[in-house]
Amino acid sequence: MTWERELEELRHREALAEQMGGADKVARQHGRGKMDARARLAALCDPGSFREIGKIAGKGHYDENGDLTGVTPAPFLFGKATINGRPVVATADDFTIRGGAADAGISRKMVQAEKMAHELKLPLIRMIDGTGGGGSVKTLEQIGATYIPAVPGWGDVVQNLDTVPVVALALGPTAGLGAARTVASHYSIMVRGLSQIFAAGPAVVEGLGEAYRDGATSHEQAKENLGGSDIHTRNGVVDDEVGSEAEAFARARHFLSFMPEHVGQLARRSNCLDPVHRREEELLSLVPRDPKAVYSMRRCLDMVFDTGTVFEIGKMWGRAAITALARLDGWPVAVVASDPSFLGGSWEAKTSEKVERFVKLADQFRLPIVHLVDNPGFMIGREAEMAGTIRYGVNAMNAIYKATVPLASVVLRRAYGIAGSAMSNAEAFQYRFCWPSGDWGSLPIAGGLEVAYKSELEAAEDHAAMLEEIRERLGKVTSPFRSAERFNVEDIIDPRDTRPLLCEFAELAWRKLESEV
C-alpha cells in the first residue's frame, strides 16, 4: 500500500495555490501593468532557485461531506532562494487575494519568513503589494469586538534590521502595515506610477473631508497625490524610484551584491579588470578656480572608483550629499560625496539625515567609507534653523565619529566650520588626502573679511583697493600648503593620484576588517 492518493491530493492543492486569486483577478492584476506574485519571485531570484514554503496554506472550502471543493490561498508567499548564487529569503504579497491583506489565520506565514531570515542569517527581500495586514471595518462586525492593534512578529522585523540585509520593493499601493514593512528595511524601492505608500489610503483619507483630497479627480490620481514616488523618494521615506518592476529586481540584486549575508560576515570582493594605477587627466581640471563655480561630483566618482561599479542610493533626497556603494580594486566600499551643484554642497537637515543613515549602514555591514569633501558648512538661514539643521548635522557627525570601520577622506575643495569637522573623526588616524584646490577654515573668508577688517577699511582712502590688498594677503595665508607645513593636513596630492591612493586604502582597510573576523 502506498501514499499515492495523498500525494495526488497534495498535487491538487498545489495546483489550486498556483491559481492565486483566480484567472479573473490575475488578469486584472496584469491589466494594471503589474506582475503577479509568482512571476515576481521567478524574476527576482536566480532561475529555478525558489523553493516555496507553506505553498498550500490558505482557507479550504468543503462540501457537506467534508470533501475539498476549493482553496483560497494565503495572500503571502515566501521561501528559500538564491540571488547572485547566495541564499536568501524571498517573499511576495499576492494582491489578487484580498488586495494582499493576510487574514488572521495565516499571519504565522509572514512571521515565519521574518524568523527564517535572522535565525538562519539570510538576507530578506520583501515584495510588497497591498496592506500586508489583516482585517477591515467589516472584520470588526464578524469578530464582534474591537481590539488594541498589535503586529504579530514585529519584533522579528526589528531583529532583522540588526542582523541581515533587508530589501523592500513597493510594487503597488501599500498602506498601513505594508507601508511600515517597506520602511523597515536597509534599502527600499518604488516603481514610478505603479506603487504608492500611505499611512492610510485615499478612501480613508477622503473620509476626513474635501481638504484632504488635494484636488484629485480620480482614485488613481488620488493615490499618486497622496503617496506616489515623487513624494516619498524626495522626503527620504524610500531610497529610490525606478521605471519598471524589472528595474526594481535588478537594483535589489545589485544592492545585495555589495552586502554580506549577515552581520558578522564580510562582504565579498569581486574580480576587477580596472587598473589600480589608472590616472584620469580630467581630474586635474575638475575643480574650477572660481570658488563659486560648480562641477560634477558624480563625474569624479566615475573616474575614481572601479569602472561601472558606482551604485547611488537616495539620489532624489538629501541632495547636497551623494551616497553610494562602489568598488576599489574589487573591494566594496561605502561612498559619501559632497554635491556642489545642490545648495553649493551645504548640508541641510535632510542631507544630514541621509548621511547619518548611510554611515550607520556602512558601519553595521562593515564596509569601509570613502568621503569626498567639498562642504562649505551646514546650511544657514531662517529656513535651516526652522528645520533643525544643527541637530541633524550633529547626528550625522556623531555617526561618523562612532563608526568603527576605516574611513578615508579626500578634500577636493571646501571644508568649513562644524560641518567641515564632521567629514571624518579627527580623534582617530586620519587617512586623508587634499587636492591643491583645498580651501578650509572655521568660516569662509569672504563671509567675514569686511567685518574683521572693518576699522582698517573705514580708514582707507580707497576702500576697494584696500579690500583687494587684504584679500591678496589672506590668499597667501589660506594656501593649503601653509596647512601642510604644520601637518594640519597630511598630504596634498595630484588629483590624478586619487584612485591609486584610494585603492591602497581599500586594501589596507579590508586587511584590518578581515583581522577582526
Side-chain angles (χ1 to χ4, degrees):
M1 184 176 181
T2 69
W3 296 91
E4 186 59 39
R5 182 166 59 86
E6 286 77 8
L7 290 178
E8 182 64 32
E9 180 177 354
L10 173 61
R11 288 189 285 269
H12 176 57
R13 287 176 177 266
E14 289 176 337
L16 292 173
E18 290 174 2
Q19 294 176 11
M20 296 174 280
D24 289 346
K25 290 186 177 179
V26 171
R28 192 181 306 166
Q29 173 87 346
H30 295 166
R32 295 188 178 107
K34 297 162 62 177
M35 298 173 69
D36 61 72
R38 294 188 176 278
R40 286 168 172 166
L41 287 162
L44 171 73
C45 305
D46 293 345
S49 70
F50 179 71
R51 181 183 67 78
E52 189 172 353
I53 296 172
K55 183 173 184 176
I56 65 172
K59 181 176 178 57
H61 306 290
Y62 300 88
D63 61 20
E64 63 275 9
N65 298 318
D67 294 325
L68 183 71
T69 58
V71 171
T72 301
F76 176 79
L77 287 69
F78 86 101
K80 182 264 178 185
T82 61
I83 288 180
N84 303 319
R86 300 162 67 185
V88 301
V89 177
T91 79
D93 296 345
D94 187 352
F95 193 80
T96 69
I97 302 170
R98 292 188 56 207
D103 64 327
I106 312 297
S107 62
R108 184 172 178 270
K109 264 189 103 171
M110 192 176 292
V111 173
Q112 286 293 293
E114 297 285 336
K115 287 184 182 295
M116 182 181 181
H118 64 74
E119 291 188 12
L120 297 181
K121 296 185 176 181
L122 300 173
L124 174 66
I125 303 94
R126 305 187 190 111
M127 292 188 282
I128 302 169
D129 187 1
T131 66
S136 65
V137 175
K138 285 186 176 180
T139 304
L140 300 180
E141 187 175 18
Q142 295 167 3
I143 296 173
T146 188
Y147 50 87
I148 296 176
V151 179
W154 192 259
D156 296 295
V157 172
V158 174
Q159 191 166 351
N160 279 327
L161 289 173
D162 291 336
T163 53
V164 297
V166 179
V167 178
L169 283 62
L171 302 177
T174 62
L177 180 56
R181 291 170 61 223
T182 304
V183 173
S185 62
H186 297 109
Y187 181 58
S188 54
I189 307 171
M190 295 179 74
V191 180
R192 193 179 307 110
L194 193 70
S195 53
Q196 300 87 28
I197 293 176
F198 331 100
V204 175
V205 172
E206 285 179 10
L208 300 177
E210 184 68 35
Y212 290 87
R213 299 180 187 179
D214 194 30
T217 58
S218 69
H219 186 65
E220 291 303 314
Q221 184 183 349
K223 289 194 297 184
E224 278 296 303
N225 289 356
L226 183 62
S229 63
D230 281 349
I231 296 171
H232 290 310
T233 57
R234 289 154 179 80
N235 63 15
V237 166
V238 170
D239 292 307
D240 287 320
E241 62 181 355
V242 295
S244 67
E245 292 191 55
E247 191 178 350
F249 304 147
R251 287 192 68 86
R253 294 171 64 90
H254 198 170
F255 173 81
L256 288 173
S257 72
F258 289 98
M259 293 287 115
E261 291 162 27
H262 57 83
V263 170
Q265 182 191 73
L266 293 180
R268 300 180 185 182
R269 185 184 187 185
S270 68
N271 293 328
C272 178
L273 301 178
D274 193 356
V276 168
H277 296 289
R278 173 169 57 81
R279 299 173 83 248
E280 293 286 350
E281 288 297 321
E282 189 178 333
L283 289 173
L284 192 59
S285 58
L286 180 71
V287 177
R289 285 193 173 273
D290 180 355
K292 296 181 180 179
V294 300
Y295 58 92
S296 173
M297 182 62 78
R298 289 182 176 84
R299 178 64 183 138
C300 180
L301 268 60
D302 288 339
M303 290 188 283
V304 167
F305 295 95
D306 293 356
T307 300
T309 67
V310 177
F311 180 81
E312 186 172 353
I313 294 174
K315 184 175 183 177
M316 301 309 296
W317 75 289
R319 290 167 53 197
I322 299 165
T323 51
L325 302 172
R327 293 185 183 271
L328 287 164
D329 194 22
W331 296 110
V333 295
V335 183
V336 178
S338 306
D339 187 354
S341 69
F342 185 80
L343 301 178
S346 296
W347 287 12
E348 27 63 89
K350 280 296 181 184
T351 293
S352 299
E353 181 185 353
K354 181 168 83 168
V355 171
E356 178 193 8
R357 182 170 182 256
F358 187 73
V359 167
K360 288 179 176 179
L361 175 76
D363 198 45
Q364 179 180 4
F365 291 108
R366 312 308 290 161
L367 297 177
I369 300 169
V370 174
H371 197 166
L372 303 181
V373 180
D374 184 355
N375 189 335
F378 292 133
M379 194 65 186
I380 60 175
R382 189 172 187 277
E383 285 190 13
E385 301 300 342
M386 293 287 288
T389 296
I390 189 62
R391 175 175 292 280
Y392 289 100
V394 169
N395 286 345
M397 183 177 182
N398 291 348
I400 290 171
Y401 268 69
K402 286 181 179 180
T404 59
V405 292
L407 184 150
S409 59
V410 182
V411 182
L412 279 66
R413 187 162 61 177
R414 297 160 300 182
Y416 280 107
I418 297 297
S421 67
M423 300 300 102
S424 60
N425 182 348
E427 297 177 5
F429 172 72
Q430 292 273 287
Y431 211 106
R432 180 169 61 184
F433 305 104
C434 301
W435 286 11
S437 46
D439 179 18
W440 40 71
S442 297
L443 76 165
I445 287 175
L449 191 151
E450 296 199 44
V451 175
Y453 292 89
K454 181 179 179 181
S455 59
E456 190 173 344
L457 288 166
E458 287 178 348
E461 293 183 5
D462 188 336
H463 182 280
M466 178 57 70
L467 187 60
E468 186 57 36
E469 180 185 328
I470 294 171
R471 283 202 182 102
E472 187 175 344
R473 293 201 317 257
L474 289 175
K476 294 177 180 178
V477 173
T478 58
S479 164
F481 298 106
R482 294 286 187 99
S483 299
E485 284 177 7
R486 292 163 173 75
F487 199 57
N488 288 328
V489 299
E490 292 71 30
D491 286 299
I492 297 175
I493 65 168
D494 184 328
R496 293 168 293 190
D497 291 330
T498 304
R499 172 174 168 77
L501 289 169
L502 286 180
C503 285
E504 173 191 282
F505 160 75
E507 182 180 4
L508 294 176
W510 275 97
R511 180 175 178 272
K512 175 184 184 294
L513 293 173
E514 288 171 345
S515 72
E516 297 173 350
V517 176

